[in-house]
Amino acid sequence: MLKPQLHQSQLSTKNPFLLPKPFIHGSGHASFPVYSRSLSTKANKKVRVGYKHGSIKSIASVTQQSTDIKAVVTVKETVVDFWTEIGIERGLDDFTDLFGKTLLLELVSAELDPKTGLEKPSIRKYAHKIDHEGEDIKYEADFVVPPDFGEVGAIFVENEHHKEMYLHDVVLDGFPTGPVHVTCDSWIHPKFDNKKKRLFFTNKSYLPSETPNGLTKLRKEELETLRGNDSGERKKGERIYDYDVYNDLGNPDSDPETARPVLGGQEHPYPRRCRTGRPRTESDPLTETRSSSFYVPRDEEFSEIKMGTFSAKTLKSVLHALVPSLSTAIVDSDLGFPFFSSIDALFNEGINLPPLKKQGFWKDLLPNLFRAITDGTKDILKFETPETMERDRFFWFRDEEFARQTLSGLNPCSIKMVTEWPLRSKLDPEIYGPQESAITTEMVEQEIKGFMTCGQAVKDQKLFILDYHDLFLPFVSKIRELKGTTLYGSRTLFFLTHEGTLRPLAIELTRPPMDGKPQWKQVFRPTWHSTDVWLWRLAKAHVLAHESGYHQLISHWLRTHCCTEPYIIAAHRQLSEMHPIYRLLHPHFRYTMEINALARQYLISAKGVIETSFFPGKYSMELSSVVYDQEWRFDYEALPKDLINRGMAVEDPSAPHGLKLMVEDYPYANDGLVLWDIIKEWVSDYVNHYYPDSSLIVSDNELQAWWTEVRTVGHADKKDEPWWPVLKTPQDLIETLTTIIWIASGHHAAVNFGQYTYAGYFPNRPTTARDEYANRRPER
């Protein structure tokens, strides 16, 4: 809604003044709180008002009137409601509806009593059921609001049913200024489970310093409720937001092989997650026990529609990683696909799955899939053909497509410009061997075939690189000890042609000194030699596996899910629901915490989908911790700064979006910058509306507490970094909010929604590599 600091006394007009920009939170319009004569009033009493000044005395007679208000409550029917049509509790709830006492509503005045300085008495009424159409159940209550009650600022709601209900909104109609809207979108617990009533503020937004005096105490108390007391185990249905480290990924009590290090702290820096408070394991006092369900605050849980959608999309997006397991590893993890035709059969014919009792956690993870594919006595899994494969069966084979996907595929945010030559490692040569790259100037010039020298190519900004050398090399030795996978450090060099496309020049694979053998490295280049062409293709497969792991663990999980959770927790703990910045951010945070909890339960946990499918195996999360420690910076999460940092763009005021792209056909940047500017324009208008002056930002105690908690608690392991923005001006806040919204929307869309399209046919995006050639070549 609008800025609350404009009061009735400041207005000279009797008509609502509509803003040109739609700062709306559920009411459908934006207007100042202008008062006029009500159409539905009741005469109450006459009051004589005297004015005395010297010998002059004026007597005025003012008629004060009560106002009839109708409250319409919308509750969403759920699948649970449908399946509980019979039963004792259902019968009791039907009687409650019959007697018109389903919901108890209490109107709260936004103003204190001017005489006593105390809260005005609330107005209580029961709402009765009036309609049930589709998924909407309507309830109604009639209020008589006395003339001195003032503006309604909040509503208390008590659920008289024996089961929780999902409250969508409350609309209060009959006020002279028009309807008052209260958007709830929240689960209301039964009073029999918790006697504390739920509080909802109206849709009008207030900065803390501008909060009406009748709501100040409630605003503070509601935040205290959401923070909890940092003790005890969280129970399903609670609404408490607190922090903890990632100490629940393993289950050493049941299987010592699943013991995993705690992520978060000096040894393994990491963002914080939502605290669950479960007991610690007996075998490791640092590890939290696991359970069949992971706590998230009740309103962070999926709606039933979202749960069904998420299940389907999750299956489609991650099954490319599960295909080898579903089709071979369930029977024998050492088996592979003997021919490409065997892979094609997954899409053409489907595969038979073994009995569910042999599938362990797959049954728990994919129940909807198994129900969907059960046919008679057989469980058959048949995959949709990915669009990329449908267009061209051998798309993944071509070097042009290999290069194109670095700019417009699943992971378009890793490629960088080469700014120094020759390439050198920054790792300790005493541990990891010589720092010089095996990719030489001569190799580069042979591949670019006289277009220019290597030095000129670097100077003209024509060389680009996917560099997983220094990041992966420290993990090579221990990952090679795992069964069924191998690893190298890798560098992949590309040349920007005069046509504006990238062409791969060389791939360098490196193994550090290990097992008494010196460092090994080799460069592979495009060729049509009968043997070398397959070595080149195998080298590309290794790079693609590296890309897949980095994409899923870093570009997707770490940057868009894991690092976002502290913003969400801090927002609920420090920003009131009536704060305009909370209302701006909240839609972009929806369901993230539930998805992250499911990830801890099934995807990133010990022996979960990620560990069993991607090359880092049991070291997957440890690898993401290293990247968070070495690479993650909040300021570089902003798209323009990310592009500049990677050398993919330079500042140019004359160019669109103020940036000149080094590769003009870069869809992630081309489309992303358009979206970035749209988000920033909207955020700028919004912030400047509520904060016309920098002093309002500096003095906003909730805003400052939110950002301080994000930095010092949610991202505690990076709290002392100098690059954190400080919120002093509207521009500081605009850049910070735009960055958060971009990561949760545009960036996430880029790395998430194309997963099945590009990775459904997994030779295009293998998640691990088995180096049989290395097994025959001991030096590798």
Side-chain angles (χ1 to χ4, degrees):
M1 288 295 287
L2 300 179
K3 294 164 58 178
Q5 64 265 33
L6 298 178
H7 301 291
Q8 180 188 3
S9 61
Q10 299 171 305
L11 303 171
S12 60
T13 178
K14 295 295 183 181
N15 298 317
F17 175 75
L18 300 181
L19 280 183
K21 295 185 184 300
F23 296 109
I24 303 169
H25 293 291
S27 66
H29 66 275
S31 61
F32 292 115
V34 184
Y35 294 87
S36 61
R37 183 176 180 84
S38 172
L39 297 178
S40 177
T41 60
K42 293 184 178 180
N44 190 11
K45 61 180 180 179
K46 289 187 177 181
V47 180
R48 295 180 66 84
V49 181
Y51 173 77
K52 184 176 182 180
H53 182 71
S55 61
I56 302 176
K57 184 176 182 180
S58 299
I59 305 295
S61 179
V62 180
T63 301
Q64 294 186 342
Q65 297 175 322
S66 299
T67 306
D68 290 335
I69 300 300
K70 186 178 294 295
V72 178
V73 182
T74 302
V75 171
K76 295 292 184 180
E77 183 182 46
T78 65
V79 175
V80 174
D81 295 327
F82 179 81
W83 288 109
T84 54
E85 289 295 323
I86 58 174
I88 295 177
E89 289 187 352
R90 176 66 189 191
L92 294 173
D93 291 344
D94 284 344
F95 276 114
T96 301
D97 289 344
L98 183 63
F99 287 108
K101 293 188 175 183
T102 306
L103 292 166
L104 176 62
L105 306 180
E106 292 186 36
L107 304 186
V108 178
S109 175
E111 306 165 5
L112 295 177
D113 189 317
K115 296 180 179 179
T116 65
L118 302 176
E119 296 174 355
K120 295 179 180 180
S122 61
I123 307 174
R124 299 164 50 127
K125 283 290 181 178
Y126 282 101
H128 58 277
K129 185 176 180 179
I130 60 169
D131 189 26
H132 186 175
E133 183 176 350
E135 64 174 9
D136 290 346
I137 306 173
K138 300 287 186 179
Y139 296 86
E140 190 177 272
D142 295 307
F143 293 89
V144 177
V145 179
D148 60 350
F149 187 76
E151 186 178 356
V152 175
I155 300 179
F156 281 108
V157 181
E158 183 177 77
N159 177 9
E160 306 295 314
H161 274 189
H162 289 76
K163 64 181 185 302
E164 66 177 2
M165 61 175 62
Y166 188 80
L167 183 60
H168 174 56
D169 68 1
V170 181
V171 179
L172 304 174
D173 202 3
F175 288 105
T177 54
V180 173
H181 293 259
V182 184
T183 301
C184 306
D185 285 327
S186 180
W187 291 95
I188 310 298
H189 57 264
K191 72 174 185 179
F192 307 100
D193 295 343
N194 185 345
K195 293 187 179 299
K196 186 172 183 179
K197 300 181 183 72
R198 286 294 308 279
L199 174 68
F200 297 97
F201 297 106
T202 64
N203 287 4
K204 187 178 292 185
S205 295
Y206 295 99
L207 298 179
S209 62
E210 298 159 347
T211 308
N213 56 18
L215 302 178
T216 302
K217 181 181 177 182
L218 294 176
R219 182 171 186 153
K220 179 181 178 181
E221 289 177 347
E222 182 68 4
L223 284 174
E224 291 172 349
T225 297
L226 294 173
R227 292 175 194 146
N229 58 10
D230 194 29
S231 64
E233 182 177 355
R234 299 275 66 84
K235 305 298 183 183
K236 184 176 177 59
E238 292 182 340
R239 301 169 53 239
I240 294 175
Y241 295 78
D242 205 354
Y243 300 92
D244 207 343
V245 293
Y246 280 75
N247 61 351
D248 61 348
L249 302 180
N251 191 1
D253 283 352
S254 63
D255 182 0
E257 290 295 318
T258 66
R260 297 292 181 269
V262 174
L263 301 184
Q266 186 174 0
E267 187 173 356
H268 298 289
Y270 218 58
R272 301 305 190 257
R273 63 168 175 90
C274 181
R275 180 183 177 276
T276 57
R278 295 189 298 265
R280 302 302 174 92
T281 61
E282 295 180 2
S283 55
D284 182 4
L286 298 178
T287 298
E288 193 173 81
T289 56
R290 293 172 62 81
S291 62
S292 58
S293 63
F294 282 28
Y295 166 81
V296 293
R298 183 63 181 100
D299 287 337
E300 302 296 332
E301 295 182 26
F302 289 155
S303 67
E304 290 164 331
I305 293 176
K306 174 66 177 179
M307 175 61 80
T309 303
F310 178 79
S311 297
K313 287 187 176 179
T314 299
L315 292 176
K316 196 170 183 180
S317 63
V318 305
L319 274 178
H320 76 277
L322 306 183
V323 170
S325 297
L326 286 172
S327 58
T328 61
I330 294 175
V331 179
D332 187 343
S333 59
D334 291 330
L335 292 179
F337 290 90
F339 310 106
F340 284 112
S341 58
S342 302
I343 301 174
D344 295 344
L346 296 173
F347 307 96
N348 302 328
E349 303 169 15
I351 58 173
N352 293 329
L353 293 176
L356 296 183
K357 63 183 180 180
K358 295 183 180 180
Q359 294 175 10
F361 79 93
W362 303 106
K363 178 181 178 181
D364 297 327
L365 178 62
L366 310 174
N368 293 339
L369 173 65
F370 288 126
R371 284 197 296 269
I373 63 176
T374 298
D375 181 15
T377 60
K378 292 184 177 180
D379 293 321
I380 299 175
L381 174 61
K382 186 176 180 180
F383 290 91
E384 293 182 23
T385 303
E387 185 179 358
T388 45
M389 182 187 176
E390 199 165 48
R391 291 183 177 185
D392 182 356
R393 181 181 172 189
F394 294 102
F395 76 102
W396 59 280
F397 233 38
R398 297 183 174 88
D399 290 349
E400 295 84 357
E401 181 66 11
F402 172 67
R404 187 190 72 83
Q405 289 187 27
T406 64
L407 300 171
S408 59
L410 268 186
N411 188 41
C413 37
S414 286
I415 191 164
K416 303 176 183 179
M417 177 185 288
V418 174
T419 57
E420 296 180 357
W421 192 266
L423 302 174
R424 289 178 60 89
S425 170
K426 293 180 174 61
L427 297 176
D428 185 349
E430 295 294 324
I431 300 174
Y432 300 104
Q435 296 174 313
E436 295 77 17
S437 170
I439 302 176
T440 65
T441 298
E442 292 73 23
M443 291 179 181
V444 172
E445 292 178 349
Q446 287 173 13
E447 291 300 320
I448 60 179
K449 297 180 172 61
F451 280 108
M452 60 183 67
T453 65
C454 181
Q456 191 66 38
V458 174
K459 182 179 178 181
D460 291 352
Q461 302 172 324
K462 298 292 186 181
L463 293 184
F464 296 84
I465 190 171
L466 286 177
D467 193 349
Y468 297 119
H469 183 277
D470 286 9
L471 177 61
F472 289 169
L473 212 60
F475 286 87
V476 168
S477 179
K478 52 187 176 183
I479 286 179
R480 284 190 169 211
E481 294 176 357
L482 303 177
K483 184 178 180 181
T485 187
T486 192
L487 181 64
Y488 297 94
S490 70
R491 295 186 179 102
T492 307
L493 197 63
F494 299 89
F495 177 70
L496 181 63
T497 69
H498 67 279
E499 295 153 340
T501 59
L502 293 182
R503 183 166 70 84
L505 301 181
I507 294 174
E508 177 185 14
L509 300 180
T510 304
R511 175 189 52 73
M514 56 181 290
D515 301 330
K517 296 178 289 188
Q519 181 196 71
W520 175 92
K521 63 180 68 171
Q522 184 170 335
V523 177
F524 303 87
R525 292 187 280 169
T527 179
W528 291 109
H529 185 276
S530 58
T531 300
D532 290 345
V533 68
W534 281 103
L535 291 178
W536 165 248
R537 289 167 179 166
L538 288 173
K540 284 197 299 181
H542 280 283
V543 172
L544 289 170
H546 299 169
E547 273 275 274
S548 293
Y550 190 92
H551 158 258
Q552 202 64 266
L553 286 167
I554 311 305
S555 302
H556 189 189
W557 160 253
L558 178 67
R559 292 180 62 182
T560 71
H561 286 272
C562 182
C563 289
T564 297
E565 188 157 340
Y567 313 148
I568 303 171
I569 298 173
H572 283 279
R573 288 167 54 86
Q574 302 297 341
L575 295 176
S576 167
E577 291 183 4
M578 67 170 74
H579 198 293
I581 301 306
Y582 174 90
R583 285 174 163 159
L584 174 68
L585 290 175
H586 184 254
H588 303 284
F589 291 159
R590 196 177 188 198
Y591 301 135
T592 299
M593 291 181 67
E594 171 81 338
I595 293 172
N596 290 0
L598 289 171
R600 299 201 328 268
Q601 196 168 2
Y602 294 117
L603 300 180
I604 63 174
S605 56
K607 297 188 177 181
V609 171
I610 298 297
E611 285 195 4
T612 56
S613 302
F614 288 81
F615 71 85
K618 63 186 288 187
Y619 302 105
S620 293
M621 295 306 292
E622 187 178 333
L623 174 62
S624 72
S625 169
V626 169
V627 175
Y628 175 73
D629 182 36
Q630 296 180 1
E631 298 183 5
W632 189 85
R633 293 179 48 157
F634 178 82
D635 55 338
Y636 286 172
E637 294 300 282
L639 177 61
K641 290 185 179 179
D642 167 52
L643 294 172
I644 293 170
N645 177 56
R646 291 189 285 117
M648 301 303 293
V650 293
E651 292 189 41
D652 183 352
S654 65
H657 320 292
L659 292 180
K660 177 185 177 183
L661 296 179
M662 297 297 98
V663 180
E664 292 184 8
D665 186 12
Y666 188 4
Y668 172 71
N670 299 135
D671 299 341
L673 287 170
V674 172
L675 183 57
W676 172 272
D677 282 357
I678 292 171
I679 295 171
K680 189 169 185 177
E681 181 182 4
W682 161 243
V683 172
S684 298
D685 289 348
Y686 191 94
V687 168
N688 289 326
H689 176 72
Y690 285 102
Y691 298 96
D693 187 81
S694 295
S695 63
L696 292 173
I697 291 178
V698 175
S699 64
D700 189 334
N701 61 300
E702 287 185 7
L703 181 71
Q704 296 296 334
W706 165 67
W707 191 237
T708 297
E709 188 168 288
V710 166
R711 293 183 290 110
T712 63
V713 184
H715 287 275
D717 301 326
K718 289 189 173 270
K719 61 184 175 64
D720 297 322
E721 297 288 353
W723 39 254
W724 283 107
V726 178
L727 301 185
K728 292 184 177 181
T729 67
Q731 189 56 43
D732 296 334
L733 182 57
I734 289 166
E735 189 74 12
T736 297
L737 296 176
T738 302
T739 299
I740 291 174
I741 293 172
W742 157 254
I743 288 295
S745 57
H747 176 86
H748 179 263
V751 299
N752 178 68
F753 292 115
Q755 288 188 84
Y756 195 77
T757 299
Y758 284 105
Y761 188 71
F762 52 85
N764 183 57
R765 301 291 295 187
T767 58
T768 190
R770 302 181 184 186
D771 199 340
E772 298 299 328
Y773 180 67
N775 294 335
R776 297 193 298 269
R777 297 283 298 274
E779 71 274 10
R780 296 182 61 184

